[in-house]
Amino acid sequence: MTEEEKAIQFQQRIDAGEKIEPRDWMPDDYKQTLFRQISQHAHSEIIGMQPEGNWLLRAPSLRAKKILMAKIQDEAGHGLYLYSAAETFGIDRTEMIAMLHSGKAKYSSIFNYPALTWADMGAIGWLVDGAAIVNQTMLAKCSYGPYARAMVRICKEEGFHQRQGYEIIANMSAGTREQKEMAQDALNRWWEPSLMMFGPHDADSPHTHNSMKWKIKVESNDTLRQRFIDRTVEQAHHIGLTIPDKNLKYNKETMHWETSPINWDEFWNVVKGNGPCNHQRLNHHKKYHQEGQWVRDCARAFEEKLKSESAAIKSN
Ligand code: BYC
């Protein structure tokens, strides 16, 4: 088949809802788009451990600490599934991490904001994992098999993460006046950055057209953002919190909540590396990656030892 015929057949498979697997033929742009997105997604999971890790030693009870610890460990697992999915394109994790450190690969803008109080642990679980579920439930239907399968497992755990966050926020909202103020303050600070997690508006999103054609994304940034808004506004009202948007209003005709325009200048500023915590997050990752070199060296030496032992057994 010519390259053109292969491209036509590829699109027919996508249109028919078939999954594309690593050894199948695929256009270079499809590969590049997926590698970019999956590796960025993996980095987000790993960098996303930092704001929560910062609160582990200050959790207000043993129960809260155990739950937070389990959640953070889940995020590490998500990173591993996703690095493995990205490695199916023939680029290994060492290279992906080098791309993160050099700034070539991004991670989600949301993790460049500070977690200032315990209520932020609630807001991250409720809003950040809540947004992630909306986005990732869609990605579980993605055309690329390894990514879609990773998403199915990840979404199951995200459901628990969202509930642990909502429980913290709901308890604080029902607590003392100071606790309710902390919950409201966390919502005030995390609301707009959570809306930005879905990426630019569809009209300004350079990748959406091709990603939807290839069913990498089966729903657009704006559709998913609106779904998140509609869900979350109701959840906030249920526990007596106020969405920090004076223009928030329910449109009875469309049956959707309408919000103020998003501050995209801030979004792009954060994406370009100038958010409140970009340097801190990346420097932290670099420092501990370097300090962990001995672990990787030991693992490699052990692998070599196993290889030479098995070669010796085979030759005997
Ligand atoms: N932040 O054309 P667009 C978690 C970039 S972790 C930074 O719409 P696309 C958790 C985009 O990369 C889960 N950059 O792109 C973990 C592109 O730039 P490049 C995090 C963003 O890819 C620990 C440009 O803007 N979730 O839940 O079609 C603790 C144009 O955008 C962002 C994921 O990673 C952003 N928010 O759509 C707690 C989801 N948005 O690469 C919780 C996986 C856009 O051309 N990713 N950009 O230089 C996706 O679903 C898609 O990549 C996006 C963007 C919807 C984010």
Side-chain angles (χ1 to χ4, degrees):
M1 270 200 278
T2 64
E3 292 297 294
E4 207 177 314
E5 285 164 344
K6 284 181 194 164
I8 292 170
Q9 193 190 54
F10 172 82
Q11 190 60 47
Q12 283 167 345
R13 292 187 61 198
I14 299 273
D15 295 341
E18 278 182 45
K19 291 279 180 246
I20 305 300
E21 297 298 339
R23 290 192 182 152
D24 295 346
W25 185 91
M26 56 189 102
D28 284 343
D29 289 356
Y30 176 82
K31 256 186 230 173
Q32 273 156 19
T33 300
L34 270 166
F35 176 74
R36 173 189 61 80
Q37 181 169 327
I38 303 173
S39 66
Q40 290 184 181
H41 195 161
H43 297 322
S44 302
E45 299 283 355
I46 299 300
I47 297 281
M49 294 161 75
Q50 291 185 31
E52 292 176 315
N54 185 36
W55 277 91
L56 262 182
L57 297 179
R58 289 176 286 167
S61 68
L62 182 58
R63 177 181 181 273
K65 187 174 183 163
K66 283 197 305 191
I67 294 174
L68 188 61
M69 176 91 85
K71 178 186 189 294
I72 297 171
Q73 285 177 345
D74 284 351
E75 310 297 0
H78 298 176
L80 293 185
Y81 303 155
L82 287 161
Y83 282 127
S84 301
E87 279 179 335
T88 60
F89 296 107
I91 300 174
D92 74 12
R93 202 177 312 169
T94 313
E95 271 183 81
M96 286 184 239
I97 289 173
M99 287 178 196
L100 172 70
H101 289 176
S102 71
K104 193 170 173 220
K106 298 190 173 77
Y107 57 87
S108 180
S109 52
I110 192 78
F111 301 115
N112 293 309
Y113 292 87
L116 303 178
T117 72
W118 176 252
D120 289 30
M121 295 304 95
I124 291 177
W126 173 33
L127 304 173
V128 177
D129 287 274
I133 292 176
V134 171
N135 171 261
Q136 293 173 171
T137 310
M138 174 277 288
L139 292 174
K141 296 177 199 138
C142 151
S143 58
Y144 191 58
Y147 194 25
R149 288 189 287 274
M151 284 298 117
V152 172
R153 296 182 70 168
I154 291 176
C155 283
K156 287 191 178 140
E157 291 172 350
E158 297 290 16
F160 152 66
H161 297 172
Q162 194 272 351
R163 281 194 290 278
Q164 71 85 33
Y166 193 58
E167 182 189 72
I168 293 173
I169 285 284
N171 285 345
M172 291 184 82
S173 304
T176 62
R177 187 173 54 80
E178 285 84 357
Q179 285 170 332
K180 184 164 183 182
E181 278 170 10
M182 278 170 76
Q184 182 64 53
D185 170 61
L187 172 59
N188 294 350
R189 287 180 288 105
W190 288 92
W191 172 250
E192 203 178 3
S194 303
L195 303 185
M196 295 173 184
M197 278 180 77
F198 295 92
H201 285 309
D202 298 348
D204 304 319
S205 157
H207 299 296
T208 290
H209 176 75
N210 276 344
S211 287
M212 292 193 74
K213 181 178 85 180
W214 292 323
K215 295 191 184 162
I216 292 173
K217 302 205 267 201
V218 296
E219 288 178 291
S220 75
N221 297 359
D222 285 329
T223 305
L224 297 173
R225 184 173 12 250
Q226 187 62 54
R227 183 170 305 146
F228 171 74
I229 292 171
D230 290 341
R231 268 185 203 177
T232 312
V233 168
E234 302 293 342
Q235 290 165 352
H237 292 168
H238 184 68
I239 54 175
L241 293 183
T242 307
I243 297 290
D245 181 349
K246 57 183 182 340
N247 296 317
L248 181 79
K249 71 166 191 294
Y250 187 68
N251 183 328
K252 282 188 184 149
E253 275 171 29
T254 60
M255 295 201 291
H256 290 302
W257 287 92
E258 291 172 358
T259 54
S260 295
I262 291 170
N263 182 347
W264 292 113
D265 288 344
E266 177 181 324
F267 170 76
W268 289 116
N269 196 39
V270 173
V271 171
K272 283 183 193 138
N274 305 318
C277 299
N278 293 62
H279 294 292
Q280 184 187 333
R281 300 287 184 243
L282 216 48
N283 288 341
H284 184 91
H285 193 280
K286 285 179 186 167
K287 177 173 187 284
Y288 286 96
H289 187 66
Q290 215 162 26
E291 283 185 15
Q293 185 60 45
W294 69 272
V295 179
R296 293 187 294 280
D297 290 344
C298 288
R300 234 166 254 136
F302 184 64
E303 196 187 3
E304 289 306 318
K305 183 171 171 278
L306 284 183
K307 268 190 209 155
S308 66
E309 280 174 3
S310 85
I313 291 168
K314 276 183 201 151
S315 67
N316 282 336

